[in-house]
Amino acid sequence: MGTSQDRRDQRRAAVRRTGPAPRRRKRFLTLGRAVLFVGIALVVGGVVKLLLPSMTPLLTAGLAVALGAVPLIIDLLRELPERRRARGATMGPFAAAAFVLLVVGGGTAYVLSWTIDRITSDETVRAQRLGAPVEGTLGPLVAKVEKVEVTDNFTKVTFTAVNRSAIAAKVSVVDSCRLIAGQAEFRLDGLFDVLREPFFLDVPGGGTIRKTFAFPGTPEPGRTTVTMTCGSVSWTGSDAQWSGREFVGRPLRVADIELAPVG
């Protein structure tokens, strides 16, 4: 039987052979960093659309990625020397973090910006297409189209409605107004249209309002003629000259709106 000194020597030899337990390598891509990337993307997307509403979703996503990369680069420079000294260390964790930043962070900013654009229709105007102002009438109600602008995804029609009577007019808008261009028809009946446009347009007796409707889609780029129609129109009140019963259920229509070609 060995002595107690022999047993202590055997234990020391085993420790020298195996060495201390390896240190667990820290993860570079943590949940906290992923949440930070997404948070930066959301903040950047919201601030950009507030200050620069016409910036495209792609540029907004690029800016979010650029700003989100700042903490990533700082952490990379801080941890890179230690990882170089570590045996078997690779750049895989940094590549994974960059992937999350690009795909998750940039994708979040892009989707947020795209959604805001569809809700607000605040896109850069590419062309002013109205050839000349055009009027349409329904009894005492006169609608004059003053401007037709196109963006990448919308046709914006600005018009003034004048009520020449004492009776109030209520024009149906959502799921009612449409822009007809030949065989194409652009309607205000989608989810984003419901969030953006009013359900009714109230024109008080003797009143005037100015409104812009953003129709999803754009007409053909060549010279063409379109028609805007909204209906039906309901009337309340009384007037010695006009009777709302004569126009109940009839739409407000502005036809022969000539659009200039765009290059």
Side-chain angles (χ1 to χ4, degrees):
M1 292 181 63
T3 64
S4 59
Q5 181 64 35
D6 293 337
R7 287 194 294 271
R8 285 195 295 271
D9 292 341
Q10 290 175 359
R11 285 196 296 270
R12 292 194 186 101
V15 169
R16 285 194 296 270
R17 285 195 302 270
T18 59
R23 294 177 58 187
R24 188 175 181 181
R25 190 175 301 164
K26 294 191 301 183
R27 295 175 57 193
F28 185 74
L29 179 59
T30 63
L31 178 61
R33 285 192 174 110
V35 171
L36 176 63
F37 295 160
V38 175
I40 291 176
L42 289 173
V43 171
V44 170
V47 171
V48 166
K49 298 312 293 183
L50 179 64
L51 300 179
L52 300 170
S54 61
M55 181 174 285
T56 64
L58 187 60
L59 288 178
T60 303
L63 183 59
V65 169
L67 294 179
V70 173
L72 175 65
I73 294 174
I74 293 175
D75 290 341
L76 173 63
L77 295 177
R78 184 186 299 120
E79 297 186 17
L80 188 57
E82 179 182 347
R83 287 181 172 271
R84 282 178 174 174
R85 290 192 298 268
R87 184 177 301 176
T90 67
M91 296 297 292
F94 302 118
F99 177 81
V100 170
L101 173 63
L102 289 171
V103 175
V104 179
T108 299
Y110 182 91
V111 170
L112 176 65
S113 178
W114 183 90
T115 304
I116 293 176
D117 280 349
R118 293 308 180 275
I119 294 176
T120 64
S121 72
D122 286 333
E123 295 182 336
T124 301
V125 174
R126 302 301 182 188
Q128 161 62 256
R129 299 199 58 185
L130 182 63
V134 184
E135 291 185 355
T137 63
L138 176 61
L141 189 62
V142 180
K144 182 179 181 181
V145 173
E146 302 173 338
K147 189 186 300 182
V148 177
E149 300 171 315
V150 292
T151 69
D152 289 335
N153 299 285
F154 295 96
T155 300
K156 296 184 175 183
V157 180
T158 301
F159 65 95
T160 299
V162 180
N163 190 345
R164 300 174 297 175
S165 72
I167 54 178
K170 183 184 289 288
V171 183
S172 298
V173 176
V174 171
D175 202 23
S176 175
C177 287
R178 65 194 68 182
L179 192 67
I180 303 170
Q183 300 299 318
E185 186 175 284
F186 310 111
R187 304 174 62 95
L188 298 177
D189 58 1
L191 172 61
F192 296 124
D193 306 322
V194 173
L195 297 175
R196 180 180 63 251
E197 305 292 351
F199 279 86
F200 298 98
L201 194 63
D202 292 307
V203 187
T208 300
I209 64 169
R210 194 169 188 264
K211 180 64 178 175
T212 298
F213 290 152
F215 293 91
T218 57
E220 61 182 50
R223 187 179 300 276
T224 186
T225 301
V226 301
T227 297
M228 185 183 72
T229 178
C230 295
S232 59
V233 181
S234 59
W235 305 82
T236 56
S238 61
D239 186 285
Q241 182 181 357
W242 304 94
S243 174
R245 291 191 298 270
E246 300 176 10
F247 319 110
V248 171
R250 292 172 56 185
L252 176 63
R253 187 169 180 266
V254 183
D256 299 327
I257 306 172
E258 294 187 2
L259 302 185
V262 292

